[in-house]
Amino acid sequence: MKVLLGVVLLIAVLTAYMWRDTFDPGSIRGARVLITGASSGIGEQMAYHYAKFGAEIVITARRLDALKKVAQNCEKLGAKKMMYVTGDMSDPSDPERVLKYVVEKLGGLDFLVLNHVGNTNVGLWNRDADHVRSLMQVNFVSYVQMAGAALPVLETSGGSIIVVSSLAGKIATPFVTPYSSTKFAMNGFFGALQKELAIQKSNVSVSIQILGLIDTESALRKIRGYTTMTAYPASEAALSIIKAGATRQKVAFYPWFHYLTCLINDIFPFLTDLLSGLRWD
């Protein structure tokens, strides 16, 4: 037991060192940023942080009125430039259209922040393959489309792709099977893309942010009655995502201890099964 505790402590210390805060807010000033899924929740909070840092921002989502409200708040917070464009990522033509608009308006791009997510219910999978297919378009394929369209622009600026993922894409999670599958696909694709860019000696970085349960209104409403897990603040999660992208981290976790959660799952998968049984009772 003492040996196990020592190993866990050592891992925790090394993790804290690897993810020590080296973020310089000045590195964001004037940066050209596109944030998807920014009409509410984590995306909205990221927009506010980027605005405070003085970035040039374009936000996108489906709801025009919500985008206008977020844009107005960002202007008050100090955004150097603030614009918005509606986009429906379930439409295969919209990802490239939105990206093209942003590049034309900003004259380039430094940070592509992929954060949007499709609507799905929490519950046992009802064998609806069509829903999985449509969710894959929003949560995964549209990310690939936007990343592909942005890469030549980001090569010019030495920019970054920031991908907002989930613990459900690292550990198979009951009651969110379609969602979990899209996040596994996302982690696999962008993890492999990191390696391909390294092989090509590209100056574009890819940061994957693994999030635990966040206290957005949508998330809390859906998981009510399914779990008693602690939900963490969306504003803090948003800042963690921005820092990971700005410091070009390959993979970051919020809360940080979910790195250990994933590590334990990889080494002792049977423990995750036991914990899941308790967690979802």
Side-chain angles (χ1 to χ4, degrees), residues 11 31 37 68 73 79 100 104 125 132 137 142 146-147 157 165 169 178 190 198 200 211 213 216 234 245 260 264 270:
I11 292 172
K68 288 180 179 179
N73 292 336
K100 183 179 179 181
E104 288 176 352
W125 183 49
V132 176
Q137 165 61 36
S142 66
M146 295 196 85
S157 64
S165 189
F190 285 99
Q200 298 171 67
L211 298 179
L213 181 60
T216 63
L260 299 180
I264 291 170
F270 64 91

Side-chain angles (χ1 to χ4, degrees), residues 126-147:
N126 61 3
R127 303 185 298 280
D128 185 352
D130 287 335
H131 172 62
V132 176
R133 186 180 296 109
S134 63
L135 195 65
M136 195 66 77
Q137 165 61 36
V138 179
N139 289 10
F140 173 61
V141 177
S142 66
Y143 278 53
V144 173
Q145 289 178 283
M146 295 196 85

Side-chain angles (χ1 to χ4, degrees), residues 93-169:
S93 67
D94 264 15
E96 285 94 343
R97 177 186 63 80
V98 169
L99 199 285
K100 183 179 179 181
Y101 171 89
V102 172
V103 173
E104 288 176 352
K105 292 296 183 180
L106 297 182
L109 190 64
D110 298 300
F111 292 99
L112 171 62
V113 186
L114 298 172
N115 167 72
H116 58 276
V117 64
N119 185 47
T120 189
N121 293 324
V122 175
L124 295 173
W125 183 49
N126 61 3
R127 303 185 298 280
D128 185 352
D130 287 335
H131 172 62
V132 176
R133 186 180 296 109
S134 63
L135 195 65
M136 195 66 77
Q137 165 61 36
V138 179
N139 289 10
F140 173 61
V141 177
S142 66
Y143 278 53
V144 173
Q145 289 178 283
M146 295 196 85
L151 273 172
V153 184
L154 294 171
E155 285 283 2
T156 301
S157 64
S160 301
I161 300 171
I162 303 173
V163 182
V164 180
S165 189
S166 168
L167 190 63

Side-chain angles (χ1 to χ4, degrees), residues 31-107:
R32 298 160 296 182
V33 183
L34 167 60
I35 311 169
T36 69
S39 61
S40 63
I42 297 168
E44 177 184 0
Q45 295 302 316
M46 281 193 283
Y48 296 156
H49 284 299
Y50 275 119
K52 292 174 185 176
F53 296 140
E56 299 182 8
I57 308 165
V58 180
I59 56 175
T60 186
R62 290 176 299 171
R63 297 178 295 150
L64 179 59
D65 290 343
L67 286 174
K68 288 180 179 179
K69 189 175 296 185
V70 174
Q72 290 170 357
N73 292 336
C74 286
E75 288 173 348
K76 295 175 183 177
L77 290 170
K80 185 176 179 181
K81 187 179 291 186
M82 187 69 227
M83 288 172 282
Y84 53 86
V85 56
T86 56
D88 182 351
M89 297 305 163
S90 67
D91 182 343
S93 67
D94 264 15
E96 285 94 343
R97 177 186 63 80
V98 169
L99 199 285
K100 183 179 179 181
Y101 171 89
V102 172
V103 173
E104 288 176 352
K105 292 296 183 180
L106 297 182

Side-chain angles (χ1 to χ4, degrees), residues 163 165 186-187 190-191 194 206-210 249-252:
V163 182
S165 189
M186 180 198 299
N187 290 341
F190 285 99
Q194 286 175 338
V206 176
S207 296
I208 303 171
Q209 177 78 51
I210 308 298
Q249 295 179 47
K250 289 187 175 181
V251 182

